[in-house]
Amino acid sequence: MKLLLVGINHNSAPLSVRERVAFVPEQIHLALHDAVTSGLGAEVAILSTCNRTEIYALGEATDGAAVLDWLSRFHHVERGELEGCCYVSRDSQALQHMMEVA
């Protein structure tokens, strides 16, 4: 299994972008279900605060471009607006980042 992280935070994106891709609590269940059924990973976790939105996907076919496409589609934000603002980490780097954020 492979771990993938795709995210934006206060260092990588302006507030106007972070606000548009933040998940409100009422959306999380729907978003998680949609992410898994869209094939982002066998398991998906979403971390969304005022300063960051991060999507962690675990699976064999994890793909950063697919996660970015899904995030864009889910929030109705042009993919081009997100491309320069996102960061991607894989496997041990993604796990290290997750532990640092936690």
Side-chain angles (χ1 to χ4, degrees), residues 14-32:
L15 179 61
S16 60
V17 173
R18 294 192 320 265
E19 287 176 335
R20 294 175 61 207
V21 297
F23 291 87
V24 295
E26 298 80 23
Q27 288 179 307
I28 292 293
H29 183 72
L30 172 65
L32 289 170

Side-chain angles (χ1 to χ4, degrees), residues 38-102:
S38 294
L40 297 188
E43 298 179 39
V44 176
I46 296 172
L47 171 64
S48 188
T49 71
C50 60
N51 284 326
R52 75 179 67 241
T53 294
E54 295 180 341
I55 299 163
Y56 295 86
L58 183 65
E60 290 302 321
T62 55
D63 177 14
V67 173
L68 194 56
D69 288 340
W70 176 83
L71 184 62
S72 170
R73 189 172 55 254
F74 190 87
H75 284 294
H76 309 288
V77 175
E78 291 293 324
R79 190 177 192 270
E81 291 183 65
L82 301 177
E83 286 178 334
C85 300
C86 287
Y87 48 88
V88 177
S89 296
R90 297 181 189 284
D91 301 323
S92 61
Q93 287 180 329
L95 182 60
Q96 177 70 33
H97 178 81
M98 183 187 338
M99 293 300 130
E100 289 172 359
V101 169

Side-chain angles (χ1 to χ4, degrees), residues 4-19:
L4 173 74
L5 157 65
V6 175
I8 68 168
N9 66 22
H10 60 285
N11 293 319
S12 69
L15 179 61
S16 60
V17 173
R18 294 192 320 265
E19 287 176 335

